[in-house]
Structures are given as structure tokens and as C-alpha cells.
Amino acid sequence: MFLIAFCFHAKASTPGEFVPKKENWKNSRGFSIPNPSSKAVVVFLHGSFIEKLDDVCDPNGQASGFSVPEVVRQLVGAEIAGLEVVVYAPCDGRATALGEPIKIDQRVAAIEETLAELGRAGVDPSRIVLVGHSAGGWAALLHEKRYPGSVNSVIAFAPAFAGKKRWRPDIWQQRHDEQAAEIESADRIPALVFSFDNDAYNTPGDLGFLSRVKGTTLLRMPDKAIAGVACETPLFASSHAHAYRKCFSDTQGIVLLEFLHKQLRRQKVAAPAIHDHSVARPDNASTSTLLNVSLGESSGIGNPNMGLPFASAQPAPRTQPQLPPRDQDQAKN
């Protein structure tokens, strides 16, 4: 499957696609998003191969790990906190050479370029959400640690870095642990993180450090079934790609909607965030939430009051979030 590490310093012309593809929204001069003040932009970050291989990126395709998963696609066109959701997926991941920064660090720089381009198009940072799978999720968390307040929030599916745990060399394990400690030292990261039992890259236990980051909710998902919906895992695969599977999109779409509603609504009444590129101070008192999501249970975000932290688990609807009629066909593509 996909080893976990990330990419090179992206430029304004870095390839990427809106979902569904909108050719007239991106050109050689950057983005041109109609009525940007009315949009909430989800930036989806794909996974990665090993350092010496170029990554695959096909936002509107079907490749697990390198396309936009259905649980994110079904957000397109939804109205949340008075804003229309737009999904953009940048393509990053050039093979690295000796002496270059590793992919994951270069991806953090690439995120900055994407955010700058969105800013030039008129999108307020408080309406941008980083959503990533695998190395994309790890890079999103690392970016928010290094540049606190640069986006509204983060959603990470099975965040991982440095390859499968079973075959991870000691030097990469050391780098993994160093970056985990860096993320844990954040003052605050407003994030929703999904971890999966039997994930070959990072188990819920491996990601336990995120439960100590203020503002972050870490959810533990089973690998066989989610909210009563069986997860069909290909032979020799693990739960690492569950975010791309039907068991996840059928049950957790509403979870994403409610988290985004909470975060975007909160931002509308809060003071504008300051994009501070300085390194945040460690916060030893930071606390967050680790929730177990057992068979037949949702992530526990089905609370109509949409409050954080989420204290109890409730059954999640098995239907996809209801989108405006004009967007339903788009969400299926």
C-alpha cells in the first residue's frame, strides 16, 4: 500500500484539482473561486509512497490513498454555518534526493503555498479546513503545530508517517517519535482524528499522544465493522484505508458535518486568528479526548448540540449526509 512520508516544496502552479473538477477555477495565475467570501474550503491531502518514489495523485479518481474519499466528496456543496463547502485536493509528492528535506517536511511547506494561493483568491483562512489521510493527515497536524491558527481546523484519517510499523527502520522510528513529540507539544490543535484498530502504520495506541493535545479529539474505530456496517478489507490489507471504504462513508459523514458545523460556527463569532509562523510553546497541561468506537457505535458526535468534547457514543445514521438537491449528483461522481 502506501508508505508514509511526504513531499516537496510546492509552487503556486502545483497541480491539483477541485472536486468535482472545475477547470475555470484554476489557471496559470492561481485560483479564481466565485464569491470566495461565501465558501468554506476543504483542502484534502493524499497519502504517500516511500521517499524514493514519486507519489500518485488522482483527486477525482478511485485510487485509495491518492484520490478524495467518498466521505469527503459528499461534503461538496453542503451548506455549513451559512457557507458552501468546496473541496480542493493539491497534488504533491516528488521523490526526494540525498540532502533534501524529507517528504513530510516538504509537504508542510507545500500546504503553506496552497494556503497562500487560496488567500490570494480571497478565501479567509478561518474558513479553510485541512483534511488528510495517512501522511496527509500527519502533515496537516504537523502544519497546524508549526503554524498555529493558520486554518480553521484539521480532520485526519489514520495519520501516519515513516512507513508500516512492522518494517520501520530504527532511524525512521526515531524521526516518527520526534515528530509525534513535536505535534504533542502544540499549545492547541483544533482537530478530529480517526484511528483504526489493526492499522499497520499507526494503531490507536501509537496515536495516543494526540489525546494529550488540547483541542484534539482522537476517535478509536474498530476494523471489522463501524456502527454496524461491515468493513470489507482486501486480502493482505489493513484498516489503514478504512476512510475510503463504504463502512466509513456510510456512517461517519454526519460526524464530519457536525464537526465542521461546530468549528465554522465558532469561527464566525470568534476574533480572527493570527497566522503566527513561530513555534508554539509546549503545553504540559493540554488534555483532549480519546473515544472508543465499538461495534454498533458511532464516533459519538451525533449530539444535536454538537458540543465538544463528545462525552458519549450514539448510533450513527447509516445514510449519507443530506446535501442540497442541486449537489447530490456531484457528490456521487
Side-chain angles (χ1 to χ4, degrees):
M1 289 201 50
F2 14 91
L3 250 185
I4 312 307
F6 244 106
C7 143
F8 81 117
H9 191 96
K11 299 179 180 178
S13 59
T14 295
E17 295 178 5
F18 286 93
V19 179
K21 196 169 184 178
K22 293 177 170 58
E23 298 285 359
N24 61 326
W25 281 21
K26 196 172 191 299
N27 52 49
S28 59
R29 296 181 301 277
F31 294 123
S32 180
I33 301 175
N35 302 315
S37 63
S38 68
K39 304 294 194 297
V41 179
V42 167
V43 176
F44 181 78
L45 307 168
H46 60 72
S48 184
F49 285 128
I50 59 175
E51 296 289 307
K52 302 304 179 183
L53 295 177
D54 289 336
D55 293 335
V56 175
C57 179
D58 186 15
N60 283 288
Q62 301 297 320
S64 292
F66 301 104
S67 62
V68 176
E70 179 61 26
V71 74
V72 177
R73 290 175 186 270
Q74 63 192 23
L75 296 171
V76 175
E79 183 177 313
I80 303 177
L83 301 169
E84 179 187 357
V85 176
V86 169
V87 174
Y88 176 71
C91 290
D92 303 298
R94 178 179 59 82
T96 58
L98 185 65
E100 290 186 321
I102 59 176
K103 279 185 179 181
I104 199 76
D105 289 324
Q106 295 194 41
R107 172 52 66 88
V108 172
I111 293 172
E112 275 293 275
E113 292 288 346
T114 297
L115 297 182
E117 195 171 359
L118 287 169
R120 289 191 291 271
V123 180
D124 192 295
S126 68
R127 300 187 183 117
I128 299 174
V129 179
L130 299 179
V131 180
H133 171 254
S134 192
W138 189 278
L141 293 165
L142 193 59
H143 179 276
E144 185 59 13
K145 153 60 188 173
R146 294 178 180 177
Y147 305 110
S150 60
V151 295
N152 176 282
S153 53
V154 171
I155 299 175
F157 309 128
F161 164 62
K164 289 185 177 180
K165 184 178 179 181
R166 181 179 178 183
W167 299 324
R168 190 179 296 156
D170 290 343
I171 184 61
W172 282 98
Q173 183 63 52
Q174 180 181 343
R175 290 172 174 172
H176 176 281
D177 295 345
E178 289 171 352
Q179 292 203 345
E182 181 181 355
I183 294 170
E184 185 180 346
S185 73
D187 284 336
R188 183 177 187 274
I189 298 179
L192 179 63
V193 180
F194 294 86
S195 63
F196 299 87
D197 287 342
N198 296 322
D199 186 333
Y201 293 81
N202 276 329
T203 65
D206 297 327
L207 295 172
F209 68 93
L210 290 170
S211 68
R212 298 186 290 274
V213 179
K214 185 176 181 180
T216 294
T217 296
L218 176 62
L219 305 182
R220 178 178 179 178
M221 313 292 285
D223 65 328
K224 300 298 184 183
I226 298 175
V229 178
C231 295
E232 298 181 4
T233 306
L235 189 64
F236 304 121
S238 76
S239 59
H240 187 64
H242 269 8
Y244 283 84
R245 297 184 176 121
K246 185 175 175 60
C247 61
F248 192 83
S249 61
D250 278 2
T251 61
Q252 302 307 301
I254 189 66
V255 175
L256 269 62
L257 278 173
E258 293 183 353
F259 175 78
L260 292 173
H261 180 91
K262 173 71 176 182
Q263 294 301 128
L264 291 168
R265 184 180 62 178
R266 173 183 293 167
Q267 197 66 40
K268 290 180 71 172
V269 299
I274 298 175
H275 190 156
D276 181 5
H277 285 226
S278 62
V279 177
R281 298 185 310 277
D283 180 3
N284 295 328
S286 294
T287 58
S288 188
T289 306
L290 170 62
L291 296 182
N292 291 306
V293 184
S294 60
L295 299 179
E297 293 179 335
S298 77
S299 61
I301 310 182
N303 187 331
N305 295 321
M306 290 172 263
L308 289 173
F310 310 112
S312 62
Q314 300 179 19
R318 298 184 187 179
T319 58
Q320 296 181 1
Q322 188 65 39
L323 304 183
R326 60 185 174 83
D327 295 306
Q328 288 179 349
D329 290 338
Q330 288 184 343
K332 295 176 182 177
N333 293 333

